[in-house]
Amino acid sequence: MNETKTNPLLDVNQLNKIVTSPDGNLTLLDDVNLKIYPAESVAIVGASGAGKSTLLAILAGLDVPSSGQVLLDQAELFNLDEDGRAQLRGRLIGFVFQSFQLLPSLTAIENVMLPLELLNMTGAEEKAKQVLSRVGLDKRASHYPRQLSGGEQQRVAIARAFAVQPKILLADEPTGNLDMKTGEKIIDLLFSLNNEQGTTLILVTHDESLASRCQRKLHMDAGKLVEID
Amino acid sequence: MRLIKPMFKLALKQLKREWRSGELYVLFFALFVAVTAVTSVNFFTDRIHRALQMQANELLGADLVLSADRQFKIKYLEKAESLGLKAVRQISFPSMVLSENENQLTWLKVVDPDFPLRGELGISKKLFAPESKVTMIVSSGKVWVEPRLMTALAISIGDSITIGKKQFIVDAILTSEPGRGGDLFNIAPRVLMNYADIDETGLIQPGSRVRYSLLIAGEVADIKKYRSYVVDESDPGIKVQGIEDARPEIRTALSRAEQFLGLAALSSVILAGVAIALAARRFANAHLDYCAVMRCVGATQKMIFRIYFFQICFIGIVASLIGVAAGFIFHQLLIEVLGSLVGVELPMPSLMPAVFGAATGIVTLLGFALPPILALKSVPALRVLKRDLGEISLPGTMSYLVGVVALAFVMVWQSRDLKMGLYMVGGALLTIVVLAVVAILLLYVVRHFRHLYKTPVLFGLRNLIRRPAATIVQMVAFGLGIMALLVLTLIRGDLLDQWQSSIPDDAPNRFLINIHPDQIDALKRFFEERNETVPNFYPMVRGRLIEINGVAVSEETASGREAKQMLSRELNLSWATDLAKGNELIDGEWWSNEPDVLAQFSIEKSVAKNLGLVLGDTLKFMVADQFVEAAVTSVREVDWGSFKANFYVIASPGLLDGMPSTYMSPFYLPPAKFELLNSLVAEFGNITVIDVAAIMSHVRQIINRVTMAVEYVFLFTLLSGFMVLLAGIQSTHDERLLENAIARTVGGSTRQIYRTLMAEFVSLGMLSGFVAALLATIIGAVLAHYVLKMPIHWNETLWLLGLIGGGAGVGVVGFLGSRSVVTQPPMLVLKKLSL
């Protein structure tokens, strides 16, 4: 515990994001500071337009801040170029999106294999089968996304995210496109896998009940991040 | 490097999926059509070139051929002998041949016994029987004749025919001979005769139009020495042809055909480029999210580029290879239509056409597909979270400049001539610009009058107006193909028909040539005795222009193609007292009728223009071994379409006295009086009768075959135009899907939507046909007025063909290509497109 407290997995310092709009400068993130430690589960809540997705994007290196620093596993994220950040993402970060974001021309197992193949991992297919089996879709491995229901697609997406055994899992409204019952099952699966692999979970959600399942809860409002007890 | 293999596997896997979804069909088939077009033309021209190179000896019948309009001096034969070379004399000229009931103009070839020096003669003893090769020529007293002469004269082997004053036995059918060439310039059937017999025929008189040749063969070094000797002798009347420049008339004609066929094929490549650009853009658009997800899960820009580059290259290679194979199959059609023009067996092609075809395909594909594909690597991963945060715009029109430049290089390469290539590039660009301008204007008119239309035409036209850029691109694409086909149809049919019918009914349809001066009175009596109109007789003296204003001139020193042609051969000079009908003085004065009028020349205006002559310039001609010189005192404009006897150079009376001359006489022979020719040829064996109608028919046949070949190639252009249409439909697929789903949701029936689609594509086709017909009409008018010198006339068939053909063709293909937007259930569409 002392080790995790002294070495955060994600260390964000004085992060700002300002964009230019027709009405002048728009501050999306305003002096955000954050430390997230390994195996923590963190929920970021807030109204639409508060800046949650912007923060998530920057934490994953998908976007570049106007100023500030992000250390990911002690590596200065924005000292790397676009490709360097992509490679780091591939190793360390898993994603689960609201709209699943499966590649329609790949089967379920091929979607899961994708990050493994990009990392040129041996035994990618075997690993993918194991993870698919874990999410209960081993019998649907050769099906295309259009042949799966919403819940099944999200399970494939979760399998893809966990296939590389990431240190961090970023989930952006993972149940946003699902009905309540399916959503609950998905969340259960997400937390279950998270516990098994000891992944750090950062979850963006409107859902208060989902947020309350996390160890920490942060509130985003007009670009400012505040921890809620 | 370690990532290449998994990237390749991933690329192939994705490609398989994409292919099954049909997304890549247009890209693939556009490329396939273009490569097939280019390759089929190039396989054909490659075989022609190889035939001309490999079989040049056979085209010549020797290693070197000297040609002249006069007999060769003995020194040339002696020189050949001294160098250890073999020499064969050959005389060729048109001559009438008589059987018991028929007469026929033939091309008589009289050769020494050692003919041919290269290649072999082929004969058969029966029509259509297999030929046998022989090494000895026909013996004295006998002739070998071409198959069509057997039919024309209704004779069999062993029958007797009359040539000049001598009778010959038809000993065999001549099936092949070296030096014959192809159908291009051989109008009259051939007769092969032994040199020993020529004097007895009495056909060759002073002034007769005869071609003398000396065929030489031997060791390369000795041939070179002999050639240098001939050149050093500087005899202006002698032309030398070696293997490398054998049959220049065939080479020139085929070079033109090759350039034009190549241009036609490349027009399909240009359209393929457009189709590929549209299809690749759509493909890239459809993969933006794809790439964003891959970036999210760890793919670098290089990886993304490699994956899509592999896919594009794979498609390019497969489409090109299949296109090359198809091109090889289809080139046989061109061989069928045009192969006999060369007259030698065509060898198998080299690999170069395949290489060029594949290279053209790859260059086109990369030039037009690479810009949007390249943009994919820049898709930000941020797009997965917020589309509006991760917008990317695909490259604009300027990014295709590389593709355009690459195509320009391909065109220059295809034409094998920088100047011609640049003309082709310029011509293609100009054509496209003109088509585009007309299309824009037409669309403006359509838009302006849209309040007049009723549904579904209104909805259909509205679809066209709403997407002006796409509509104009498609109109240009179709306009190009349809226009080319309409122009060719015009040339093959209307223009030639019109030209023929512009000839007066009683215009001369026969020309008598090689009339000896002593025969004129007898000929006049011949016509009088048969109550026929006695024709006019015009003197002809064969002379070669050797000096202008005292300065020696020759083909080598002349500038300009026409000038070189005039100085490379003997011209037909004549003399006259009065200015003939159909001749109009445009400069200077005609000579008076006084008996001692000064020596003068009157020249036709093209002679003045091509040789840069003005009044007062002196011209010196060599006639046989004599010389004649005089000043130019008038310039005439001649109505060459009158079919009367006209001459480029006319001398004042008395100037050409004492020079070897023959006479010619054009006259009209009514169809019912055909047998008069038999009597005429029987009585005057040396006179040659030229059948003008037969020549026009032969020329028309050649034009038909050539235009057929060009039409075949332009069909590929039309196919490429359809690819552009399908690519355009594909690029608006989602938009149409949504529009039609909403239309059906708010009450529109499937039938109404089908009618709207039909209206849209039929309108597009008709608009394209209109543009094509308009430009084809203009081109036809230019050809009629400036080339054929005929009045311009309106051809409504052209318009009907353009409008109906365009409407039907584009309507059907467009409708079939877009039908799927109606067959999907609306709810499914709305759900799918709202994600």
Side-chain angles (χ1 to χ4, degrees):
Chain A
M1 196 64 171
N2 283 338
E3 195 183 342
T4 57
K5 283 292 180 191
T6 56
N7 295 310
L9 186 55
L10 202 57
D11 191 355
V12 179
N13 296 299
Q14 295 172 309
L15 197 69
N16 288 283
K17 178 72 178 178
I18 299 164
V19 296
T20 317
S21 76
D23 298 322
N25 284 348
L26 188 64
T27 304
L28 299 177
L29 295 176
D30 186 0
D31 195 29
V32 169
N33 295 279
L34 176 62
K35 283 182 179 20
I36 298 177
Y37 295 91
E40 280 192 323
S41 58
V42 178
I44 304 175
V45 298
S48 279
K52 305 188 297 296
S53 296
T54 307
L55 177 61
L56 204 69
I58 291 174
L59 294 182
L62 302 180
D63 197 6
V64 177
S66 304
S67 63
Q69 185 193 53
V70 174
L71 292 164
L72 177 60
D73 203 13
Q74 275 113 60
E76 170 75 70
L77 190 57
F78 296 102
N79 279 353
L80 301 171
D81 62 9
E82 181 86 37
D83 282 350
R85 293 201 298 274
Q87 285 178 320
L88 196 68
R89 263 198 307 276
R91 281 192 297 111
L92 297 180
I93 302 178
F95 286 90
V96 178
F97 302 101
Q98 181 177 348
S99 54
F100 325 135
Q101 297 287 11
L102 298 178
L103 300 186
S105 62
L106 301 182
T107 59
I109 190 157
E110 286 167 347
N111 266 285
V112 176
M113 278 166 66
L114 182 62
L116 300 170
E117 284 173 330
L118 289 172
L119 288 172
N120 202 26
M121 269 192 200
T122 52
E125 193 171 349
E126 197 47 51
K127 282 199 178 80
K129 274 183 184 161
Q130 283 172 4
V131 177
L132 258 184
S133 179
R134 177 61 187 86
V135 302
L137 288 176
D138 45 315
K139 287 190 170 47
R140 308 295 297 276
S142 60
H143 288 196
Y144 289 94
R146 66 176 184 276
Q147 295 170 302
L148 304 172
S149 68
E152 287 166 341
Q153 287 186 57
Q154 194 62 298
R155 280 196 271 160
V156 173
I158 290 172
R160 181 180 65 189
F162 279 102
V164 295
Q165 294 181 308
K167 287 194 175 176
I168 300 178
L169 186 86
L170 298 176
D172 182 23
E173 303 277 9
T175 57
N177 281 354
L178 303 170
D179 61 83
M180 205 187 302
K181 199 171 170 189
T182 312
E184 278 172 12
K185 286 185 184 165
I186 291 297
I187 292 302
D188 289 342
L189 181 61
L190 198 61
F191 276 94
S192 166
L193 279 166
N194 200 48
N195 288 333
E196 280 170 26
Q197 292 194 12
T199 315
T200 302
L201 175 65
I202 303 174
L203 192 64
V204 165
T205 185
H206 288 121
D207 189 343
E208 282 295 336
S209 61
L210 175 55
S212 62
R213 285 179 74 163
C214 297
Q215 291 165 334
R216 291 168 67 185
K217 198 160 124 181
L218 305 172
H219 186 259
M220 194 84 176
D221 184 21
K224 285 197 178 303
L225 192 68
V226 171
E227 183 133 9
I228 304 169
D229 293 326
Chain B
M1 281 304 289
R2 61 189 181 93
L3 283 172
I4 300 272
K5 198 175 161 192
M7 292 298 101
F8 191 60
K9 272 172 71 178
L10 183 61
L12 275 180
K13 217 186 300 184
Q14 285 186 11
L15 186 61
K16 224 164 50 172
R17 305 286 174 255
E18 298 294 345
W19 180 260
R20 282 194 197 142
S21 71
E23 287 289 327
L24 295 168
Y25 288 167
V26 171
L27 204 121
F28 181 89
F29 282 108
L31 195 63
F32 164 74
V33 167
V35 172
T36 305
V38 166
T39 314
S40 61
V41 166
N42 281 309
F43 270 128
F44 167 71
T45 55
D46 184 68
R47 289 178 77 175
I48 298 288
H49 275 294
R50 283 162 70 79
L52 290 176
Q53 272 166 7
M54 287 162 60
Q55 295 166 37
N57 293 42
E58 202 169 313
L59 279 169
L60 279 180
D63 296 333
L64 196 74
V65 172
L66 277 57
S67 313
D69 294 329
R70 288 170 291 125
Q71 277 219 343
F72 286 95
K73 295 185 178 128
I74 194 71
K75 63 178 177 177
Y76 292 104
L77 281 158
E78 287 168 352
K79 183 65 180 176
E81 200 183 300
S82 73
L83 287 171
L85 297 168
K86 281 191 180 165
V88 155
R89 293 171 302 173
Q90 177 181 297
I91 304 173
S92 44
F93 56 97
S95 175
M96 297 303 291
V97 167
L98 234 63
S99 64
E100 200 177 314
N101 298 311
E102 304 287 345
N103 67 80
Q104 173 68 40
L105 175 67
T106 67
W107 188 260
L108 192 61
K109 190 163 168 177
V110 184
V111 292
D112 272 334
D114 282 339
F115 178 88
L117 295 176
R118 296 285 182 237
E120 288 174 315
L121 288 161
I123 59 169
S124 67
K125 288 292 192 176
K126 226 170 141 182
L127 264 178
F128 312 121
E131 72 169 12
S132 41
K133 296 290 187 187
V134 293
T135 50
M136 290 176 60
I137 65 153
V138 62
S139 45
S140 175
K142 296 177 181 173
V143 288
W144 290 343
V145 306
E146 267 195 348
R148 51 190 169 130
L149 187 61
M150 306 285 287
T151 319
L153 293 178
I155 52 173
S156 311
I157 299 291
D159 284 353
S160 170
I161 57 174
T162 307
I163 305 176
K165 294 179 191 163
K166 188 175 166 69
Q167 286 210 328
F168 292 85
I169 301 293
V170 177
D171 181 57
I173 296 167
L174 184 65
T175 49
S176 60
E177 63 174 292
R180 183 195 182 276
D183 295 341
L184 197 57
F185 299 101
N186 290 304
I187 297 165
R190 316 269 273 193
V191 175
L192 193 69
M193 180 194 290
N194 193 305
Y195 205 94
D197 291 328
I198 188 61
D199 288 338
E200 279 185 64
T201 64
L203 288 171
I204 298 180
Q205 305 289 331
S208 290
R209 199 180 176 130
V210 169
R211 194 88 187 138
Y212 293 89
S213 302
L214 200 57
L215 280 60
I216 308 288
E219 297 295 327
V220 172
D222 297 328
I223 293 286
K224 225 171 153 179
K225 282 181 199 163
Y226 188 80
R227 188 172 190 147
S228 302
Y229 165 77
V230 173
V231 169
D232 289 344
E233 288 297 297
S234 301
D235 190 329
I238 295 180
K239 258 188 148 147
V240 183
Q241 271 182 48
I243 294 166
E244 64 285 351
D245 50 8
R247 303 303 297 270
E249 71 281 7
I250 293 179
R251 285 174 192 270
T252 306
L254 286 168
S255 168
R256 290 273 179 270
E258 179 187 353
Q259 282 170 340
F260 201 63
L261 284 173
L263 170 65
L266 284 171
S267 65
S268 83
V269 173
I270 293 170
L271 293 183
V274 174
I276 288 168
L278 289 172
R281 201 176 174 83
R282 160 153 172 96
F283 180 82
N285 253 324
H287 284 77
L288 294 177
D289 291 340
Y290 217 92
C291 294
V293 170
M294 284 211 285
R295 299 279 284 139
C296 247
V297 299
T300 60
Q301 289 186 323
K302 208 189 278 186
M303 284 179 190
I304 301 238
F305 175 72
R306 274 190 183 145
I307 287 168
Y308 287 101
F309 187 70
F310 278 146
Q311 291 183 30
I312 291 297
C313 286
F314 191 83
I315 292 170
I317 290 167
V318 172
S320 294
L321 288 177
I322 299 177
V324 163
F328 183 78
I329 294 168
F330 282 117
H331 96 279
Q332 302 291 347
L333 275 170
L334 284 171
I335 299 286
E336 280 297 315
V337 173
L338 293 179
S340 65
L341 295 182
V342 182
V344 293
E345 208 174 299
L346 298 181
M348 286 307 282
S350 67
L351 281 176
M352 277 312 293
V355 169
F356 181 78
T360 302
I362 300 290
V363 161
T364 308
L365 182 68
L366 291 179
F368 291 95
L370 212 50
I373 298 301
L374 268 174
L376 284 176
K377 69 177 176 56
S378 304
V379 174
L382 188 60
R383 190 184 168 90
V384 297
L385 284 177
K386 287 275 178 175
R387 269 199 176 196
D388 56 329
L389 294 177
E391 272 305 321
I392 178 169
S393 55
L394 290 176
T397 319
M398 286 310 288
S399 63
Y400 295 107
L401 200 58
V402 172
V404 171
V405 170
L407 263 189
F409 273 119
V410 166
M411 288 175 100
V412 172
W413 183 12
Q414 169 76 35
S415 66
R416 292 185 179 87
D417 179 285
L418 179 65
K419 197 169 158 189
M420 176 59 74
L422 290 173
Y423 275 136
M424 280 161 68
V425 171
L429 283 172
L430 182 65
T431 308
I432 288 167
V433 164
V434 168
L435 280 166
V437 165
V438 175
I440 290 166
L441 289 170
L442 195 57
L443 204 59
Y444 175 79
V445 169
V446 166
R447 188 190 296 129
H448 191 69
F449 289 104
R450 64 184 181 277
H451 57 279
L452 297 174
Y453 315 131
K454 302 220 181 302
T455 57
V457 172
L458 172 64
F459 288 161
L461 281 173
R462 199 185 278 168
N463 283 345
L464 294 179
I465 294 166
R466 269 195 303 122
R467 302 180 189 108
T471 303
I472 287 161
V473 164
Q474 283 161 14
M475 281 170 72
V476 169
F478 282 114
L480 189 63
I482 300 172
M483 180 190 73
L485 291 171
L486 288 177
V487 169
L488 290 166
T489 308
L490 200 64
I491 290 171
R492 270 216 292 166
D494 197 51
L495 280 176
L496 286 179
D497 281 342
Q498 214 192 320
W499 175 64
Q500 260 188 299
S501 64
S502 71
I503 301 166
D505 288 339
D506 62 348
N509 59 5
R510 296 288 190 283
F511 276 70
L512 302 178
I513 62 171
N514 284 339
I515 303 169
H516 200 263
D518 294 344
Q519 291 174 313
I520 290 179
D521 289 338
L523 264 171
K524 283 180 180 172
R525 277 198 304 275
F526 176 90
F527 283 96
E528 281 164 356
E529 281 164 9
R530 285 158 182 79
N531 296 320
E532 293 298 327
T533 310
V534 177
N536 294 323
F537 295 89
Y538 300 89
M540 252 177 29
V541 171
R542 304 272 298 157
R544 182 183 294 275
L545 182 61
I546 57 170
E547 278 181 24
I548 298 176
N549 293 328
V551 176
V553 292
S554 66
E555 185 187 355
E556 286 75 34
T557 59
S559 59
R561 196 168 55 98
E562 289 83 5
K564 282 184 189 295
Q565 272 180 357
M566 280 187 180
L567 294 173
S568 68
R569 57 186 175 90
E570 290 183 336
L571 300 176
N572 289 327
L573 313 179
S574 186
W575 69 81
T577 311
D578 302 312
L579 184 64
K581 272 190 196 163
N583 283 250
E584 189 191 326
L585 274 184
I586 57 173
D587 201 6
E589 283 181 16
W590 189 252
W591 41 79
S592 66
N593 284 339
E594 286 152 38
D596 56 352
V597 70
L598 280 176
Q600 302 164 59
F601 282 127
S602 174
I603 59 176
E604 193 265 347
K605 73 170 186 181
S606 65
V607 175
K609 182 179 163 221
N610 294 328
L611 297 177
L613 299 172
V614 294
L615 293 183
D617 282 345
T618 56
L619 306 179
K620 187 174 182 179
F621 287 89
M622 185 167 80
V623 178
D625 293 326
Q626 300 176 58
F627 300 94
V628 60
E629 188 171 10
V632 174
T633 55
S634 61
V635 179
R636 294 166 287 121
E637 182 157 7
V638 172
D639 177 13
W640 293 104
S642 64
F643 277 75
K644 292 190 172 23
N646 286 309
F647 297 91
Y648 283 117
V649 181
I650 299 179
S652 52
L655 181 59
L656 301 178
D657 282 356
M659 298 204 167
S661 64
T662 58
Y663 279 74
M664 71 114 110
S665 177
F667 71 101
Y668 174 73
L669 182 72
K673 301 284 177 75
F674 179 71
E675 70 279 1
L676 183 146
L677 285 179
N678 285 350
S679 314
L680 189 146
V681 173
E683 191 171 328
F684 304 95
N686 59 297
I687 292 177
T688 302
V689 183
I690 309 279
D691 181 347
V692 173
I695 292 172
M696 283 171 59
S697 167
H698 182 80
V699 167
R700 191 144 184 179
Q701 272 177 41
I702 301 287
I703 292 174
N704 271 341
R705 282 157 76 182
V706 171
T707 51
M708 209 189 302
V710 178
E711 275 173 359
Y712 154 76
V713 179
F714 268 114
L715 280 175
F716 285 104
T717 307
L718 207 56
L719 272 175
S720 293
F722 284 124
M723 291 297 121
V724 172
L725 174 66
L726 292 173
I729 292 171
Q730 214 180 39
S731 68
T732 55
H733 183 263
D734 285 351
E735 207 180 310
R736 289 175 188 277
L737 209 55
L738 187 63
E739 281 166 12
N740 291 313
I742 291 171
R744 283 156 70 202
T745 306
V746 300
S749 69
T750 310
R751 192 176 153 163
Q752 280 174 318
I753 294 170
Y754 277 139
R755 282 163 72 179
T756 303
L757 280 177
M758 275 309 288
E760 180 184 342
F761 291 114
V762 168
S763 303
L764 178 63
M766 289 181 77
L767 287 172
S768 307
F770 183 92
V771 170
L774 177 64
L775 289 174
T777 300
I778 293 172
I779 292 171
V782 167
L783 284 173
H785 183 71
Y786 291 105
V787 177
L788 295 173
K789 312 266 191 254
M790 288 173 354
I792 298 165
H793 102 113
W794 174 262
N795 184 336
E796 54 279 345
T797 315
L798 203 72
W799 288 87
L800 281 173
L801 276 174
L803 289 167
I804 295 175
V810 175
V812 167
V813 173
F815 176 75
L816 290 174
S818 57
R819 222 166 27 130
S820 62
V821 302
V822 187
T823 53
Q824 290 195 40
M827 200 56 228
L828 208 64
V829 169
L830 291 171
K831 232 171 127 177
K832 178 178 159 186
L833 293 178
S834 66
L835 286 174

